[in-house]
Amino acid sequence: MSYGLLLLRLVVGGTMFSHGAQKLFGWFGGGGPRGTAGFMGQLGFRAPLVMALSAGLGEAGGLVFAAGFLTPLAALGIAIVMINAITLVHWSKGFFNGNGGLEFPLTLLTVAVAVAATGPGRFSVDRALGWDDNLSGVWWGVGVLGAAVAISFVTQAVFRRRAALRAAAA
């Protein structure tokens, strides 16, 4: 099980970090902060640069997730970004990723919550520090998911322009 959790954390954490690096640094063909801010502006966010940096930091936290350090906090960052991505971008496109649907971000969200519930495993910083038993369990998974839903709701309700909210509801 420990090797499986390590592989899962490395792949998902590395994937999330690469998406964050696109937003923060323009690496891997990304738009960097300004390009991502343009996209956030199209989604109706009032402070698109702040939202671009926040999303980039949440995703770049994939490195922390991969290391298994403060695992529930790293999982929370991933979960928040994925819930926002699902609700704002992918939901209207159906399930399958080939159509731009929610299949991929839902998988990343699920892995983040599952690892928060399961714990990072033997090969993690949390284990090396003796924290893994205190920072994992079903309630950590439930807490990560609940907090991510609440934070995503507040983010969308407070930081998006009303016209964008009306257009999304129509």
Side-chain angles (χ1 to χ4, degrees), residues 50-150:
V50 171
M51 296 313 299
L53 294 172
S54 296
L57 288 171
E59 291 175 342
L63 282 182
V64 179
F65 187 80
F69 180 57
L70 296 174
T71 303
L73 184 61
L76 178 64
I78 292 169
I80 292 166
V81 174
M82 291 300 98
I83 290 172
N84 281 312
I86 288 168
T87 58
L88 295 173
V89 179
H90 300 280
W91 186 265
S92 64
K93 297 175 183 173
F95 180 75
F96 292 102
N97 192 50
N99 299 326
L102 59 95
E103 179 180 23
F104 181 61
L106 179 63
T107 301
L108 296 173
L109 167 65
T110 303
V111 169
V113 172
V115 171
T118 306
R122 179 173 31 160
F123 305 113
S124 66
V125 175
D126 285 348
R127 171 67 63 93
L129 295 173
W131 294 352
D132 59 325
D133 285 340
N134 297 325
L135 292 177
S136 64
V138 69
W139 290 113
W140 281 98
V142 169
V144 164
L145 182 59
V149 167

